[in-house]
């Protein structure tokens, strides 16, 4: 029997303080290999500090941390060799061309010249930068510069990549392109640790999300699991006529009807949107020999989760 893979990132009791200011108060995290994990929280929650510790930039005051199988305290060099970090602000040298930036990174990783050039060519093609390869990076659009920055991170073949707000300032099309790149990396086995100010981005990309507030983890789960933590979810059932609508209301014993012209035949039933709740609802309708013409599940979005659990508006995510 094959044992389960160890997590790519395992954190237990992580603590960090600056004087009397407790930034991280004993947090625990486990990030599975080949997944996208997003850490969210208001400004000052401790997200940046967490990333800085996990990427060996600063030390922790306490706790056990393993990244890519290596003990952070005992072997930080092995951790650095296994990770890549792409910050909010591009590390691209704008005086060099895209190709020169990649070749420089290959040199810094002590790759042979020919091997480095071959790798640079593959990455330029992978990130759709072939036509701009010979142009100075100063001429690149924001989306192109972010793609080049991430390509440079991949030169070291990292097993874990820390992405700090990778799409800040990008237009919607460039943002979607970056989302696809991140998803492809995870599908290829790379673990992504993501911080973002866009809750939609976390919803689209993350396999699991942790919500950090005042240095403490207050919730963790899949996006759908987190949405079910807050009220407001419901199932909308549209019926062909008033008779079916009235029968459904009687069979379910709850729900309300929007009296507007467009929705007068639609019954909204409070629900967490889970499989068990949906199965029970449909079984009750089936027992009453009632079939809806249409059904849709509505759950709160991550904005609702963020506001409910932290008492803070999403605009303060950072």
């Amino acid at each position: 029997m094959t044992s389960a893979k160890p997590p790519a990132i395992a954190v237990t009791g992580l603590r960090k303080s600056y004087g009397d200011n407790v930034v991280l108060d004993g947090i625990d995290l486990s990030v599975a290999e080949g997944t996208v994990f997003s850490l969210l929280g208001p400004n000052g929650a401790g997200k940046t500090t967490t990333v800085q510790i996990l990427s060996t930039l600063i030390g922790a005051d306490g706790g056990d941390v393993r990244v890519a199988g290596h003990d952070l305290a005992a072997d930080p060099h092995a951790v650095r060799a296994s990770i890549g970090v792409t910050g909010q602000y591009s590390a691209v040298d704008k005086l060099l061309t895209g190709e020169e930036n990649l070749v420089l990174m290959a040199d810094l990783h002590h790759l042979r010249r020919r091997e480095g050039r071959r790798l640079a060519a593959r990455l330029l093609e992978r990130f759709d930068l072939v036509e701009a390869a010979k142009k100075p990076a100063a001429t690149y659009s924001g989306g192109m510069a972010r793609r080049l920055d991430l390509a440079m991170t991949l030169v070291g073949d990292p097993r874990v990549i820390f992405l700090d707000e990778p799409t800040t300032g990008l237009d919607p099309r460039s943002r979607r392109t970056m989302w696809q790149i991140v998803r492809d990396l995870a599908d290829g086995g790379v673990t992504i640790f993501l911080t973002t100010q866009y809750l939609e981005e976390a919803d689209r990309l993350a396999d699991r999300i942790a919500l950090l507030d005042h240095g403490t983890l207050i919730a963790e789960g899949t996006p759908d699991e987190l949405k079910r933590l807050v009220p407001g979810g419901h199932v909308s059932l549209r019926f062909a006529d008033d008779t079916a609508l009235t029968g459904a209301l009687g069979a379910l014993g709850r729900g309300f009807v929007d009296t507007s012209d467009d929705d007068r035949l639609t019954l909204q039933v409070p629900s967490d949107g889970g499989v068990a709740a949906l199965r029970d609802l449909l079984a009750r309708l089936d027992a009453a020999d009632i079939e809806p013409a249409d059904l849709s599940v509505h759950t709160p979005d991550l904005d609702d989760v963020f506001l409910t659990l932290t008492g803070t508006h999403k605009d303060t995510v950072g």
Side-chain angles (χ1 to χ4, degrees):
M1 182 176 178
T2 304
S3 59
K5 291 182 180 180
I9 301 173
V11 178
T12 305
L14 184 61
R15 299 190 304 277
K16 182 68 178 179
S17 299
Y18 292 100
D20 295 331
N21 180 28
V22 178
V23 181
L24 297 174
D25 193 13
I27 69 171
D28 300 334
L29 289 173
S30 181
V31 181
E33 184 178 328
T35 63
V36 180
F37 184 94
S38 183
L39 186 63
L40 301 178
N43 290 332
K47 301 184 306 299
T48 298
T49 300
T50 301
V51 172
Q52 288 177 335
I53 292 173
L54 298 184
S55 58
T56 77
L57 294 177
I58 62 174
D61 294 336
D64 297 317
V65 179
R66 297 189 71 85
V67 178
H70 305 291
D71 187 295
L72 184 69
D75 199 355
H77 295 294
V79 171
R80 293 187 195 110
S82 302
I83 68 173
V85 181
T86 299
Q88 179 180 352
Y89 302 103
S90 175
V92 171
D93 188 327
K94 295 187 176 182
L95 297 179
L96 301 179
T97 67
E99 182 180 45
E100 288 169 342
N101 269 285
L102 288 167
V103 170
L104 175 60
M105 288 300 297
D107 290 341
L108 292 175
H109 282 280
H110 306 294
L111 299 181
R112 293 182 179 180
R113 191 70 174 174
R114 182 177 297 179
E115 181 184 357
R117 288 189 175 277
R118 283 201 299 262
L119 177 58
R122 289 199 301 270
L123 289 170
L124 287 167
E125 183 175 0
R126 180 178 182 181
F127 286 84
D128 194 23
L129 293 169
V130 173
E131 292 185 5
K134 304 293 186 182
K135 298 178 181 178
T139 65
Y140 285 17
S141 66
M144 293 168 64
R146 296 302 284 169
R147 297 203 306 273
L148 177 59
D149 198 18
L150 185 51
M152 290 167 63
T153 299
L154 294 183
V155 170
D157 194 23
R159 293 171 55 190
V160 177
I161 296 179
F162 294 94
L163 294 181
D164 182 17
E165 301 186 16
T167 64
T168 296
L170 298 188
D171 61 82
R173 182 178 180 181
S174 296
R175 185 172 298 131
R176 286 192 295 271
T177 299
M178 283 295 294
W179 287 352
Q180 187 58 55
I181 290 172
V182 170
R183 196 65 259 174
D184 289 345
L185 286 170
D187 290 343
V190 178
T191 304
I192 306 294
F193 192 102
L194 171 73
T195 66
T196 177
Q197 62 177 310
Y198 301 114
L199 298 182
E200 180 193 7
E201 184 162 272
D203 199 359
R204 289 282 193 94
L205 288 177
D207 298 294
R208 292 187 69 80
I209 295 171
L211 192 54
L212 189 65
D213 193 24
H214 294 95
T216 302
L217 282 180
I218 59 174
E220 182 181 348
T222 67
D224 286 342
E225 287 171 346
L226 292 181
K227 292 170 190 176
R228 288 198 289 268
L229 293 177
V230 301
H234 65 272
V235 176
S236 288
L237 301 163
R238 185 170 58 82
F239 297 93
D241 51 49
D242 290 317
T243 301
L245 175 65
T246 303
L249 188 56
L252 297 174
R254 59 197 176 109
F256 62 93
V257 178
D258 189 329
T259 56
S260 66
D261 289 340
D262 292 339
D263 294 325
R264 69 178 188 83
L265 293 177
T266 298
L267 179 64
Q268 295 187 6
V269 183
S271 172
D272 64 3
V275 173
L278 189 57
R279 185 184 294 119
D280 177 69
L281 182 150
L282 292 175
R284 289 172 180 268
L285 291 177
D286 188 58
D289 198 25
I290 299 171
E291 183 175 348
D294 188 32
L295 178 152
S296 58
V297 178
H298 301 263
T299 57
D301 59 21
L302 285 183
D303 190 5
D304 299 316
V305 175
F306 194 87
L307 178 62
T308 300
L309 297 184
T310 70
T312 310
H313 192 268
K314 71 176 182 178
D315 288 345
T316 63
V317 179

